[in-house]
Structures are given as C-alpha cells and as structure tokens.
Amino acid sequence: MYRGTKIRPFEEKVWLSSPTMHGDELKYIQRAYETNWMSTVGENIDEVERQIAKKIGVKYAVALSSGTAALHLAVKLAGVKPKEKVFCSDMTFDATVNPVVYEGGIPIFIDTEYDTWNMDPVALEKAFEIYPDVRTVVIAHLYGTPGKIDEIKAVCDKYGAIIIEDAAESLGATYKGQETGSFGSFNCISFNGNKIITGSAGGCLLTNDLEVAEKVRKWSTQARENANWYQHEELGYNYRMSNVIAGVVRGQIPYLEEHIAAKKKIYDRYKEGLEGLPVSMNPFDSKNSNPNFWISCIIIDKEAMCPHVRGECNALYNAEKGKSCPTEILDVLHALNAEGRPIWKPMHMQPIYRMNPFVTMNGNGRARTNAYIYGKSIDVGMDIFDRGLCLPSDNKMNTIVQDKIIEVVKACFK
Ligand SMILES: *Cc1c(COP(=O)(O)O)cnc(C)c1O
C-alpha cells in the first residue's frame, strides 16, 4: 500500500496504548456491588493504597479520582501561592503543569536533555541562577523513562527547593533500584485508561509523611471537620477515588510487571527491527534506570528529515527519496489503521503557555514565541518534537502486526 509495500490495513485498529484487562477487575467490582460499598469508602480503596505504597516503597498512598487531582493537591501541599514561580518539565503532558495554574502559580519551563528526554538539570541550575527564589520543581518521567534524578535532586537541594514528582507515565520504572514516585516530597501516579495499568480513571498521591497523607484524605473528601454536622474550616475537593474504580485498579496491580515486560518486548522489537534506518529509539540511562517502556518512540536523524512544517493544528511535508518525517510516518500508520502520535508538544510551544518564561541551556531565559524556521531548531524540546514520534505501543499488538508496522516505517525511508 505504501512506497512499494503490499501490506493491507489492519482489520482491527492497533492503538497507541489501550487498557489491557485480565478479568480479576470484574471480581473486585462485583464485590463492591454485592457489599454495597459503591462510594468512596471500601476494601478496594484500602487495598489499592496498601499495595501501591508497598510497591513504590513509600509509607502512604492516597487514592484519588485522577493523577491530575493528585498533582493539584501536591501543588497545594507545596504551598504554591498566586504569582509564585514554579519550575516545570517542558516536554510533558499538560496535566503536569496545569495544577500549578489552578493555584495561581506561574510555570517556568525548563528545557529537555537528549539522554532521557526529561528535564535538563543543567538548564534547571541556570533557571535557579535567574530565579533563585523558586521553591518548587515539578518533574515528569516522559514515556516511562526516569529522568536524571540525582542531578536534579542535587540542584534542588542546593537551592532549597522541593520536588513534586509526576510519575503518571512511569509507574513501575526504577532509578538506581528505587521506584519513580518515591523521590519527591509529594508524588503522583495515574490510572488513566492509557497508562501502564488502569482503573479506567484514578490516581494516587504518594508520600512518606503521615500528616500529609491525612491532609490529602481530608481535602479530597470536601475537607470535612470531625463534627456531627458538615463543618468546614478549609477549602475542600471531591477528589477521592471510588471503591468501584479501585476494584479495577486492584485487579490490575498484580499484572503491572507483566505489562512492563510486554512493553519492553515491544520496545526491543522496534529497536532491532528498525536497525539500519536513520532513526533511534527514545533513549534511557541503561546503567542506572529501568524504564517501564510505556511508549516506544523514535527520533529521525537530522540528515534524514524531509522538509516539513507544522502550523498550530496541521502539518505539511514534502516526501523525498531516502528521507522521511514524523508527519509522513504518522500518515502511513494511520492508513495502516494503527495509532501513532507526535511527541508531546512542549509546553513552551503551547498557545496557552507561550508567554511563560522558558529556560534552555544556551538560551537567554526569556519568553519565546512559536516562530519556527525549518531546519533551525532553537531548543532541545522543539527539536525532539520536530523529529520524533510515538509508535503504536499497545500490549495486545502481536509480533506479526508489529513487524508490519516496522516494514511500513522502513518503507517511508526508501
Ligand atoms: C496521564 C498524565 C497525567 C494525568 O493523569 P490523569 O489521571 O489522566 O489525570 C499527568 N501527567 C502526565 C505526564 C500524564 O501522562
């Protein structure tokens, strides 16, 4: 169907990353139903909190309605005040950053490094030189790959800042043997439908501080005081996880390692299958970290990029012999009935955050517009967004299907 390949579109769509269910989920949902614990209290919630805290190696996990809710409460716990500046990962999903704005804070974006595609500790240090008063740093582990945690922690310690860790994409990934979601003061994971395990929705806030855990439990259930009537001294939220959702999560937790193993196989098969092409996989520190391989990505060598431009909501390219670009590959995957996706567009390029300060390693630390000239990537995040893409990474994709995907990606470079 494409550049000489004879592959026909898949009858069943291959997803980027869809829920992989096992049956145990139904058992726990049913138990919630039969015991009538259909609200935000119950055994499933208790078990999710116990098992997740144990798995991550933190003292407390508080089950919430979403990862975003967990991040929001983390930002509140950090005490972020209106107009307060907060350093944030730049190349991430916007849920990492939005909660800062919910509290009136101002996200300052820190550019990305090429080694793990996460926050660049060198740019972070530069940011502290420009804004020495910043007290809070929000870091994400993109696509399940741990960032340079030691280096980032060292910079934060030097400037007396605390870390909020967004481990929504990296559940089960480790850095020097320790689980992501255990490095910051207030940490978050997500059970959204596309994540490595799911509750259909949901998330947890993770902490080692009992007082913090109790505060989050209280805030997430409308901040009720201990009285006979509804008594409120603080602003509350309806952020608690439902015991039905917790049943789904509870059924999934025993399969986390199996999901990670399947994702790793997918990553390794792409890596091997795409060898010889002018592309490389999303990188990780093989000495210090074990990613969860949530999404397999590639980045195209600069010399092998055909001309392409992206506007706000569309893209154009010129196909060229021996070259390709993310837009072409994504078009071809779409024609194959497989879901790829561009790299998460960096926050400093987003219309909503374009005027926020952005700090790059060699930049001047000033706000920057989205003016983009082909062939001139100005910062690391923009460059990875320009040349990278996410490949179909669904655990239910079999090797025959994956090999066809590999073949059409190869064909794009013919
Ligand atoms: C999915 C995701 C979130 C948000 O989690 P939800 O449970 O969907 O609210 C936050 N940060 C990152 C990096 C994510 O990928």
Side-chain angles (χ1 to χ4, degrees):
M1 58 162 256
Y2 200 79
R3 290 209 192 180
T5 68
K6 293 199 176 64
I7 296 169
R8 297 231 301 275
F10 303 129
E11 272 178 33
E12 241 180 87
K13 181 157 177 169
V14 181
W15 298 97
L16 183 70
S17 182
S18 72
T20 301
M21 309 312 281
H22 300 277
D24 297 352
E25 301 87 352
L26 281 173
K27 187 174 80 188
Y28 295 119
I29 293 174
Q30 184 143 9
R31 204 178 287 177
Y33 181 89
E34 281 165 358
T35 56
N36 207 35
W37 289 106
M38 294 296 285
S39 184
T40 51
V41 182
E43 194 193 28
N44 288 337
I45 296 175
D46 297 343
E47 272 305 304
V48 165
E49 292 186 340
R50 191 186 63 77
Q51 291 182 29
I52 288 292
K54 182 160 170 258
K55 164 74 191 162
I56 308 293
V58 292
K59 286 203 183 124
Y60 309 100
V62 184
L64 299 171
S65 55
S66 69
T68 310
L71 283 158
H72 184 190
L73 297 186
V75 170
K76 277 186 72 93
L77 287 162
V80 172
K81 296 281 174 300
K83 299 266 160 62
E84 181 177 332
K85 296 179 175 69
V86 175
F87 293 152
C88 299
S89 286
D90 179 58
M91 207 165 72
T92 183
F93 186 53
D94 72 341
T96 306
V97 175
N98 288 345
V100 170
V101 182
Y102 298 167
E103 290 302 305
I106 301 169
I108 296 183
F109 300 112
I110 310 298
D111 201 8
T112 307
E113 34 83 1
Y114 284 110
D115 299 335
T116 76
W117 293 7
N118 285 301
M119 183 186 282
D120 182 351
V122 182
L124 178 65
E125 172 116 46
K126 188 172 152 56
F128 274 113
E129 284 163 15
I130 303 169
Y131 307 99
D133 297 335
V134 168
R135 303 179 305 122
T136 305
V137 180
V138 187
I139 61 163
H141 305 289
L142 193 75
Y143 304 134
T145 301
K148 297 189 172 180
I149 295 174
D150 277 354
E151 289 90 333
I152 287 172
K153 266 187 103 104
V155 175
C156 289
D157 287 347
K158 182 171 162 190
Y159 289 89
I162 64 141
I163 291 174
I164 293 176
E165 209 186 338
D166 177 358
E169 299 180 1
S170 65
L171 180 58
T174 60
Y175 177 83
K176 297 190 173 171
Q178 189 182 332
E179 297 277 330
T180 60
S182 67
F183 291 96
S185 300
F186 317 116
N187 311 314
C188 307
I189 55 171
S190 164
F191 303 115
N192 187 313
N194 65 356
K195 301 297 198 284
I196 192 117
I197 58 169
T198 184
S200 75
C204 280
L205 187 137
L206 310 167
T207 178
N208 285 315
D209 186 331
L210 175 62
E211 216 177 302
V212 164
E214 282 177 347
K215 215 179 262 186
V216 170
R217 285 209 177 92
K218 181 183 172 192
W219 287 348
S220 67
T221 50
Q222 306 290 18
R224 300 204 293 258
E225 297 300 328
N226 197 7
N228 277 340
W229 44 83
Y230 287 139
Q231 176 85 3
H232 303 283
E233 293 173 11
E234 292 180 282
L235 191 58
Y237 301 85
N238 181 8
Y239 278 176
R240 193 70 166 132
M241 182 183 279
S242 136
N243 193 48
V244 179
I245 297 285
V248 185
V249 179
R250 188 179 176 187
Q252 288 259 293
I253 291 172
Y255 295 93
L256 174 60
E257 294 308 323
E258 188 182 308
H259 285 193
I260 293 173
K263 294 278 190 187
K264 182 174 189 313
K265 270 199 184 136
I266 291 170
Y267 180 97
D268 290 342
R269 196 173 189 88
Y270 275 132
K271 192 178 166 85
E272 203 186 311
L274 297 172
E275 222 167 67
L277 287 188
V279 304
S280 39
M281 301 293 296
N282 47 330
F284 62 96
D285 174 358
S286 58
K287 205 167 118 251
N288 291 315
S289 70
N290 287 309
N292 70 5
F293 300 97
W294 177 53
I295 304 252
S296 290
C297 306
I298 51 171
I299 182 164
I300 301 170
D301 293 354
K302 283 191 177 127
E303 310 74 53
M305 286 281 291
C306 68
H308 82 141
V309 283
R310 281 182 174 138
E312 275 315 319
C313 295
N314 46 30
L316 287 171
Y317 66 92
N318 260 335
E320 256 182 32
K321 205 171 151 52
K323 296 184 176 184
S324 190
C325 63
T327 307
E328 180 181 27
I329 295 171
L330 291 169
D331 277 357
V332 172
L333 288 173
H334 181 74
L336 193 66
N337 201 20
E339 185 188 22
R341 196 163 290 180
I343 297 299
W344 295 184
K345 183 170 173 172
M347 291 301 114
H348 79 280
M349 296 172 72
Q350 300 285 357
I352 180 173
Y353 290 126
R354 198 174 281 164
M355 297 314 288
N356 286 48
F358 168 64
V359 182
T360 69
M361 215 170 75
N362 45 20
N364 56 10
R366 297 300 310 164
R368 166 170 294 158
T369 66
N370 195 21
Y372 176 69
I373 304 155
Y374 171 71
K376 288 208 178 106
S377 285
I378 303 159
D379 54 70
V380 178
M382 205 179 240
D383 181 40
I384 295 174
F385 175 63
D386 188 46
R387 297 190 286 124
L389 70 137
C390 306
L391 294 169
S393 304
D394 198 72
N395 270 348
K396 293 163 298 308
M397 169 173 69
N398 65 37
T399 53
I400 299 165
V401 165
Q402 192 180 351
D403 288 346
K404 286 179 181 171
I405 290 169
I406 289 168
E407 201 180 318
V408 299
V409 173
K410 278 183 170 167
C412 289
F413 290 93
K414 287 213 172 111

